[in-house]
Amino acid sequence: MGSRTEVLKLFRTLHRTRQQVFKNDARALEAARRKINEEFRNNQNETSSERIAELMKIGSDVEVLLRTSVIQGLHSGSDRLCVLLFLTAQDIVKFENKFFAAKSLC
């Protein structure tokens, strides 16, 4: 594990997830873009296969956390907050078909 192809695939996956999760939030999109690029840049010269495997696991875990644990609130009116949930198909099953996948609860 940790071939250049796999690393690039994880990099692209993290960016795709960032774009989906933080859609319409320019500040969060930019901050996440910077952080992803910074982490990959800081570790681009890593040669230890154990360390690369560890970093790949961390990156994969972060992608799952972004995809399954981010809740965004949008202010809509003086006394109203809209909540956006991003859930996986597995999470939807846990809700027994009361699905909310990337759906606004406004």
Side-chain angles (χ1 to χ4, degrees):
M1 182 158 170
S3 74
R4 182 174 173 81
T5 304
E6 291 169 325
V7 171
L8 290 173
K9 181 179 178 183
L10 177 60
F11 181 79
R12 286 189 300 267
T13 300
L14 281 163
H15 277 290
R16 276 191 224 104
T17 300
R18 162 190 76 87
Q19 290 172 335
Q20 180 185 27
V21 171
F22 299 119
K23 185 178 178 182
N24 299 324
D25 186 344
R27 245 186 299 177
L29 278 166
E30 181 60 22
R33 184 189 69 78
R34 278 195 215 129
K35 185 63 176 172
I36 293 166
N37 290 346
E38 175 186 327
E39 291 299 324
F40 275 81
R41 195 174 300 111
N42 289 342
N43 293 291
Q44 71 182 355
N45 296 320
E46 185 59 58
T47 57
S48 164
S49 58
E50 293 84 18
R51 179 70 178 139
I52 292 170
E54 180 184 331
L55 291 167
M56 292 286 292
K57 174 73 170 116
I58 291 169
S60 295
D61 291 348
V62 166
E63 194 275 333
V64 169
L65 282 171
L66 279 172
R67 197 169 17 90
T68 61
S69 301
V70 173
I71 298 174
Q72 284 190 298
L74 300 171
H75 186 262
S76 64
S78 61
D79 61 346
R80 193 163 175 208
L81 181 68
C82 291
V83 176
L84 298 173
L85 298 175
F86 297 90
L87 304 175
T88 65
Q90 293 167 336
D91 293 326
I92 293 168
V93 171
K94 290 178 190 174
F95 283 107
E96 299 173 344
N97 296 327
K98 298 175 187 169
F99 54 93
F100 305 103
K103 181 178 178 183
S104 174
L105 299 178
C106 299

